[in-house]
Amino acid sequence: DAGQWAPAREAALALLEDADRLAAEGRFDEAAHLLLQRSVGQIGAARPGLVEPSSTARELAALPQLPGEARAAFATVAALVERSLFALRRLSAEDWQTARAAYADFALAEGRLAA
């Protein structure tokens, strides 16, 4: 059921653990970027053919083949990473918490089917 998809709980928890480790060192930009990079991998694994090497974060965030909750979470993380990388505005602890919450609220929600 495409409307109920989420990454496997174990993979989501491992990703959050790795990203939290970076954030604990004050490396908020890297933590959010890690969320984005691994989310792209999770999308690619769950939906083969959707992620192309030339795909941008904005394109992925708008994919109608993803459930709305996945698109919203991915869009939140992508916007923060984009701001960090392209506007050269470092992310704050609050920004990190926003990105983390968006991913965790989606990926760890009960009632979704893990890929």
Side-chain angles (χ1 to χ4, degrees), residues 1 20 23 37 43-44 48 50 54 62 69 71 85 96 101 104 107 110 113-114:
D1 181 353
D20 283 338
Q37 287 178 313
I43 292 168
L50 285 185
S54 62
E69 296 90 351
R71 287 194 311 269
L85 291 177
W96 160 244
E110 295 298 320
L113 300 175

PDB file of all heavy atoms in Angstrom, residues 1 20 23 37 43-44 48 50 54 62 69 71 85 96 101 104 107 110 113-114:
ATOM      1  N   ASP A   1       0.852  -1.185   0.000  1.00  0.00           N
ATOM      2  CA  ASP A   1       0.000   0.000   0.000  1.00  0.00           C
ATOM      3  C   ASP A   1       0.887   1.234   0.000  1.00  0.00           C
ATOM      4  O   ASP A   1       1.528   1.561   0.998  1.00  0.00           O
ATOM      5  CB  ASP A   1      -0.898  -0.030   1.224  1.00  0.00           C
ATOM      6  CG  ASP A   1      -1.841   1.163   1.304  1.00  0.00           C
ATOM      7  OD1 ASP A   1      -1.700   2.081   0.475  1.00  0.00           O
ATOM      8  OD2 ASP A   1      -2.698   1.148   2.179  1.00  0.00           O
ATOM      9  N   ASP A  20      21.902  11.802  15.184  1.00  0.00           N
ATOM     10  CA  ASP A  20      21.940  12.372  16.529  1.00  0.00           C
ATOM     11  C   ASP A  20      23.377  12.501  17.034  1.00  0.00           C
ATOM     12  O   ASP A  20      23.713  13.454  17.743  1.00  0.00           O
ATOM     13  CB  ASP A  20      21.125  11.536  17.510  1.00  0.00           C
ATOM     14  CG  ASP A  20      19.631  11.756  17.391  1.00  0.00           C
ATOM     15  OD1 ASP A  20      19.203  12.805  16.873  1.00  0.00           O
ATOM     16  OD2 ASP A  20      18.873  10.856  17.827  1.00  0.00           O
ATOM     17  N   ALA A  23      24.733  15.593  15.525  1.00  0.00           N
ATOM     18  CA  ALA A  23      24.096  16.755  16.146  1.00  0.00           C
ATOM     19  C   ALA A  23      24.633  16.991  17.552  1.00  0.00           C
ATOM     20  O   ALA A  23      24.817  18.144  17.962  1.00  0.00           O
ATOM     21  CB  ALA A  23      22.582  16.584  16.169  1.00  0.00           C
ATOM     22  N   GLN A  37      20.354  12.347   2.710  1.00  0.00           N
ATOM     23  CA  GLN A  37      21.020  11.356   1.867  1.00  0.00           C
ATOM     24  C   GLN A  37      20.451   9.956   2.068  1.00  0.00           C
ATOM     25  O   GLN A  37      20.160   9.248   1.109  1.00  0.00           O
ATOM     26  CB  GLN A  37      22.521  11.334   2.149  1.00  0.00           C
ATOM     27  CG  GLN A  37      23.255  12.527   1.624  1.00  0.00           C
ATOM     28  CD  GLN A  37      24.727  12.467   1.981  1.00  0.00           C
ATOM     29  OE1 GLN A  37      25.093  12.190   3.125  1.00  0.00           O
ATOM     30  NE2 GLN A  37      25.566  12.724   1.011  1.00  0.00           N
ATOM     31  N   ILE A  43      14.034   5.883  -0.202  1.00  0.00           N
ATOM     32  CA  ILE A  43      13.031   6.053  -1.266  1.00  0.00           C
ATOM     33  C   ILE A  43      13.400   5.200  -2.467  1.00  0.00           C
ATOM     34  O   ILE A  43      12.552   4.500  -3.023  1.00  0.00           O
ATOM     35  CB  ILE A  43      12.894   7.535  -1.663  1.00  0.00           C
ATOM     36  CG1 ILE A  43      12.275   8.331  -0.521  1.00  0.00           C
ATOM     37  CG2 ILE A  43      12.067   7.684  -2.942  1.00  0.00           C
ATOM     38  CD1 ILE A  43      12.357   9.835  -0.696  1.00  0.00           C
ATOM     39  N   GLY A  44      14.671   5.251  -2.851  1.00  0.00           N
ATOM     40  CA  GLY A  44      15.121   4.463  -4.000  1.00  0.00           C
ATOM     41  C   GLY A  44      14.937   2.972  -3.802  1.00  0.00           C
ATOM     42  O   GLY A  44      14.560   2.250  -4.727  1.00  0.00           O
ATOM     43  N   PRO A  48      11.821   1.501  -6.621  1.00  0.00           N
ATOM     44  CA  PRO A  48      12.826   1.425  -7.686  1.00  0.00           C
ATOM     45  C   PRO A  48      12.377   2.214  -8.920  1.00  0.00           C
ATOM     46  O   PRO A  48      11.208   2.187  -9.299  1.00  0.00           O
ATOM     47  CB  PRO A  48      12.924  -0.068  -7.992  1.00  0.00           C
ATOM     48  CG  PRO A  48      12.468  -0.736  -6.728  1.00  0.00           C
ATOM     49  CD  PRO A  48      11.405   0.181  -6.162  1.00  0.00           C
ATOM     50  N   LEU A  50      12.299   5.481  -9.203  1.00  0.00           N
ATOM     51  CA  LEU A  50      11.888   6.857  -8.907  1.00  0.00           C
ATOM     52  C   LEU A  50      13.067   7.798  -8.748  1.00  0.00           C
ATOM     53  O   LEU A  50      12.982   8.964  -9.106  1.00  0.00           O
ATOM     54  CB  LEU A  50      11.043   6.927  -7.627  1.00  0.00           C
ATOM     55  CG  LEU A  50       9.618   6.449  -7.705  1.00  0.00           C
ATOM     56  CD1 LEU A  50       8.904   6.708  -6.393  1.00  0.00           C
ATOM     57  CD2 LEU A  50       8.874   7.117  -8.835  1.00  0.00           C
ATOM     58  N   SER A  54      20.156  12.271 -11.444  1.00  0.00           N
ATOM     59  CA  SER A  54      19.962  13.711 -11.614  1.00  0.00           C
ATOM     60  C   SER A  54      18.795  14.267 -10.790  1.00  0.00           C
ATOM     61  O   SER A  54      18.529  15.464 -10.833  1.00  0.00           O
ATOM     62  CB  SER A  54      19.714  14.026 -13.088  1.00  0.00           C
ATOM     63  OG  SER A  54      18.521  13.389 -13.529  1.00  0.00           O
ATOM     64  N   ALA A  62       8.299  16.201  -4.355  1.00  0.00           N
ATOM     65  CA  ALA A  62       7.024  16.401  -5.050  1.00  0.00           C
ATOM     66  C   ALA A  62       6.517  15.135  -5.747  1.00  0.00           C
ATOM     67  O   ALA A  62       5.485  15.179  -6.413  1.00  0.00           O
ATOM     68  CB  ALA A  62       7.186  17.523  -6.079  1.00  0.00           C
ATOM     69  N   GLU A  69       2.654  11.904   3.634  1.00  0.00           N
ATOM     70  CA  GLU A  69       3.461  12.065   4.842  1.00  0.00           C
ATOM     71  C   GLU A  69       4.946  11.967   4.522  1.00  0.00           C
ATOM     72  O   GLU A  69       5.765  12.686   5.089  1.00  0.00           O
ATOM     73  CB  GLU A  69       3.099  11.002   5.893  1.00  0.00           C
ATOM     74  CG  GLU A  69       1.676  11.114   6.396  1.00  0.00           C
ATOM     75  CD  GLU A  69       0.691  10.291   5.562  1.00  0.00           C
ATOM     76  OE1 GLU A  69       1.073   9.761   4.499  1.00  0.00           O
ATOM     77  OE2 GLU A  69      -0.463  10.192   5.981  1.00  0.00           O
ATOM     78  N   ARG A  71       6.328  12.685   1.567  1.00  0.00           N
ATOM     79  CA  ARG A  71       6.685  13.904   0.826  1.00  0.00           C
ATOM     80  C   ARG A  71       6.877  15.076   1.775  1.00  0.00           C
ATOM     81  O   ARG A  71       7.831  15.842   1.652  1.00  0.00           O
ATOM     82  CB  ARG A  71       5.618  14.244  -0.214  1.00  0.00           C
ATOM     83  CG  ARG A  71       5.630  13.322  -1.417  1.00  0.00           C
ATOM     84  CD  ARG A  71       4.796  13.874  -2.571  1.00  0.00           C
ATOM     85  NE  ARG A  71       3.468  14.320  -2.192  1.00  0.00           N
ATOM     86  CZ  ARG A  71       2.383  13.559  -2.211  1.00  0.00           C
ATOM     87  NH1 ARG A  71       2.465  12.309  -2.603  1.00  0.00           N
ATOM     88  NH2 ARG A  71       1.216  14.046  -1.853  1.00  0.00           N
ATOM     89  N   LEU A  85      23.291  24.255   2.418  1.00  0.00           N
ATOM     90  CA  LEU A  85      24.272  24.068   1.345  1.00  0.00           C
ATOM     91  C   LEU A  85      24.331  25.226   0.360  1.00  0.00           C
ATOM     92  O   LEU A  85      25.415  25.618  -0.063  1.00  0.00           O
ATOM     93  CB  LEU A  85      23.970  22.777   0.575  1.00  0.00           C
ATOM     94  CG  LEU A  85      24.192  21.471   1.318  1.00  0.00           C
ATOM     95  CD1 LEU A  85      23.769  20.292   0.448  1.00  0.00           C
ATOM     96  CD2 LEU A  85      25.641  21.325   1.749  1.00  0.00           C
ATOM     97  N   TRP A  96      17.853  21.589  13.401  1.00  0.00           N
ATOM     98  CA  TRP A  96      18.089  20.153  13.465  1.00  0.00           C
ATOM     99  C   TRP A  96      16.890  19.445  14.069  1.00  0.00           C
ATOM    100  O   TRP A  96      16.428  18.423  13.557  1.00  0.00           O
ATOM    101  CB  TRP A  96      19.361  19.829  14.248  1.00  0.00           C
ATOM    102  CG  TRP A  96      19.374  18.416  14.725  1.00  0.00           C
ATOM    103  CD1 TRP A  96      19.376  17.967  16.002  1.00  0.00           C
ATOM    104  CD2 TRP A  96      19.322  17.235  13.904  1.00  0.00           C
ATOM    105  NE1 TRP A  96      19.330  16.598  16.044  1.00  0.00           N
ATOM    106  CE2 TRP A  96      19.295  16.113  14.767  1.00  0.00           C
ATOM    107  CE3 TRP A  96      19.282  17.015  12.539  1.00  0.00           C
ATOM    108  CZ2 TRP A  96      19.244  14.811  14.301  1.00  0.00           C
ATOM    109  CZ3 TRP A  96      19.223  15.700  12.078  1.00  0.00           C
ATOM    110  CH2 TRP A  96      19.209  14.619  12.951  1.00  0.00           C
ATOM    111  N   ALA A 101      12.506  15.793  13.782  1.00  0.00           N
ATOM    112  CA  ALA A 101      11.107  15.517  14.101  1.00  0.00           C
ATOM    113  C   ALA A 101      10.317  15.161  12.845  1.00  0.00           C
ATOM    114  O   ALA A 101       9.481  14.250  12.875  1.00  0.00           O
ATOM    115  CB  ALA A 101      10.475  16.708  14.809  1.00  0.00           C
ATOM    116  N   ALA A 104      11.402  11.562  11.983  1.00  0.00           N
ATOM    117  CA  ALA A 104      10.979  10.595  13.003  1.00  0.00           C
ATOM    118  C   ALA A 104       9.468  10.457  13.052  1.00  0.00           C
ATOM    119  O   ALA A 104       8.944   9.339  13.156  1.00  0.00           O
ATOM    120  CB  ALA A 104      11.525  11.001  14.374  1.00  0.00           C
ATOM    121  N   ALA A 107       8.700   8.393   9.827  1.00  0.00           N
ATOM    122  CA  ALA A 107       9.302   7.064   9.715  1.00  0.00           C
ATOM    123  C   ALA A 107       8.920   6.125  10.848  1.00  0.00           C
ATOM    124  O   ALA A 107       8.859   4.913  10.650  1.00  0.00           O
ATOM    125  CB  ALA A 107      10.824   7.196   9.634  1.00  0.00           C
ATOM    126  N   GLU A 110       3.197   4.677  13.869  1.00  0.00           N
ATOM    127  CA  GLU A 110       2.572   3.351  13.930  1.00  0.00           C
ATOM    128  C   GLU A 110       1.591   3.185  12.763  1.00  0.00           C
ATOM    129  O   GLU A 110       1.033   4.138  12.268  1.00  0.00           O
ATOM    130  CB  GLU A 110       1.814   3.194  15.249  1.00  0.00           C
ATOM    131  CG  GLU A 110       2.713   3.213  16.457  1.00  0.00           C
ATOM    132  CD  GLU A 110       3.722   2.078  16.486  1.00  0.00           C
ATOM    133  OE1 GLU A 110       3.374   0.935  16.119  1.00  0.00           O
ATOM    134  OE2 GLU A 110       4.871   2.339  16.884  1.00  0.00           O
ATOM    135  N   LEU A 113       3.419   0.393   6.773  1.00  0.00           N
ATOM    136  CA  LEU A 113       4.117  -0.814   6.351  1.00  0.00           C
ATOM    137  C   LEU A 113       5.565  -0.490   6.078  1.00  0.00           C
ATOM    138  O   LEU A 113       5.869   0.440   5.334  1.00  0.00           O
ATOM    139  CB  LEU A 113       3.473  -1.366   5.072  1.00  0.00           C
ATOM    140  CG  LEU A 113       2.001  -1.744   5.189  1.00  0.00           C
ATOM    141  CD1 LEU A 113       1.461  -2.147   3.821  1.00  0.00           C
ATOM    142  CD2 LEU A 113       1.817  -2.873   6.190  1.00  0.00           C
ATOM    143  N   ALA A 114       6.480  -1.227   6.676  1.00  0.00           N
ATOM    144  CA  ALA A 114       7.904  -1.021   6.440  1.00  0.00           C
ATOM    145  C   ALA A 114       8.295  -1.638   5.106  1.00  0.00           C
ATOM    146  O   ALA A 114       7.768  -2.672   4.709  1.00  0.00           O
ATOM    147  CB  ALA A 114       8.719  -1.623   7.565  1.00  0.00           C
TER     148      ALA A 114
END
